[in-house]
Amino acid sequence: MKARVHVTLKNGVLDPQGKAIGHSLNRLGFPEVGDVRQGKFIELELAETDKAKAKARLDEMCRKLLANTVIENYSIELVG
Amino acid sequence: MKAAVLVFPGSNREGDVAQAIELVTGRKPQMVWHCDGDFEKTDLIVVPGGFSYGDYLRCGAMAAQSPVMAEVKKRAAQGVPVLAICNGFQIVTEAGLLPGTLMRNAHLKFVCSDVHLKVETSQSLFTNRYQAGQVIRVPVAHAEGNYFADETTLKRLEDRGQIAFRYCAPDGTVDGTGNPNGSIQNIAGVFNETKTVMGLMPHPENAVEPMFGGSDGKALFEGLVEALT
């Protein structure tokens, strides 16, 4: 089974990288771009067939290592 | 005072801090490799600066899960003092030994310069040789030193006197001008609740000899020797 984890900054946490990306896009001729928030995308191969079990394990992985819950949120998506 | 300095793949200030410790204690600290979960008992553990594990995932995130850090967490819980500098500060926050986290500098640039710090308290193992309110000058060198904690945590830190150092202007004014990285409330260093763990972004170990631009950091190590010998 494949899993996709998205890690994003929590609301209210300043994202200077997102801001810089937004400014660059505006400068490159994309004035329609407003607020930009950037994050991480992590794809994992899992040796697990039970979706509920996989999700619980992924949740643990996110809390232990993949995300820093002081400033980041995470979401988990199971594929196939 | 017997000290241990941790070494991770990508550490680069372990030699500097070892030299600062040797300067004040006359003895070389034990260097402990990140895989070594069972090292000799010491009076102090130092987590040095650098780019452990290439800063992969988040600064300090991988190092925080290493065998040596599992042991450091155990010893810190027993009261063994831990001094965590720069990347070390990032590692111990990731390991949960100190509250908050270090984010990308607000201006997105690597900052390498001398900064002024206001000593918030002299009531700790680490700051007993300073006066509360004293201004010292030490270097910083980092891209992720922007301290952040949520409001509840900040209030708790303030109420319990857990803020060790704040960035300030040369005259001690704590405002935006002396803040090199956007840290919330100018926080440069914090203690845990028992004040046995201290983390800070600046490098006191690089300000121990006048010949190299200043010696304001030396008192931190002298204070530790006094408290732990």
Side-chain angles (χ1 to χ4, degrees), chain A residues 7 9 12-17 20 40 42 64-68 70-72, chain B residues 57-58 61-62 65 94 100-108 146 148-150:
Chain A
V7 180
L9 283 171
V13 174
L14 188 74
D15 181 6
Q17 293 182 85
K40 288 191 189 91
I42 303 159
K64 271 199 170 158
L65 181 68
L66 301 180
N68 178 342
V70 176
I71 47 165
E72 293 171 331
Chain B
L57 193 62
R58 291 178 309 278
M62 315 297 273
Q65 308 300 333
E94 282 282 348
T101 191
L102 283 313
M103 297 181 44
R104 179 67 69 96
N105 293 346
H107 48 60
L108 294 173
N146 181 355
F148 178 86
D150 61 42

Side-chain angles (χ1 to χ4, degrees), chain B residues 11 19 26-27 30 47 49 51 56 61 69 93 104 117 124-125 127 140 152-153 156 159 166 171 175 186 195 202 204:
Chain B
S11 293
Q19 208 163 354
R27 91 158 91 168
Q30 182 191 169
V47 194
F51 299 86
Y56 290 174
M69 281 308 294
T93 54
R104 179 67 69 96
L117 300 178
S124 79
L125 296 169
T127 56
V140 289
T152 324
T153 308
R156 210 169 48 225
D159 291 350
R166 284 185 215 266
D171 68 356
D175 62 13
N186 280 37
K195 289 194 186 172

Side-chain angles (χ1 to χ4, degrees), chain B residues 177-200:
Chain B
T177 55
N179 190 336
N181 52 29
S183 287
I184 199 157
Q185 293 177 15
N186 280 37
I187 292 171
V190 297
F191 301 111
N192 64 342
E193 273 184 42
T194 51
K195 289 194 186 172
T196 48
V197 178
M198 183 177 82
L200 77 170

Side-chain angles (χ1 to χ4, degrees), chain B residues 123-134:
Chain B
Q123 304 297 307
S124 79
L125 296 169
F126 307 93
T127 56
N128 63 68
R129 280 286 183 100
Y130 297 112
Q131 306 287 323
Q134 186 181 341

Side-chain angles (χ1 to χ4, degrees), chain B residues 7-17 48-52 86-87 203:
Chain B
V7 186
F8 299 93
S11 293
N12 63 16
R13 300 281 179 136
E14 73 277 18
D16 305 46
V17 78
F51 299 86
S52 58
C86 196
N87 185 223
H203 290 280

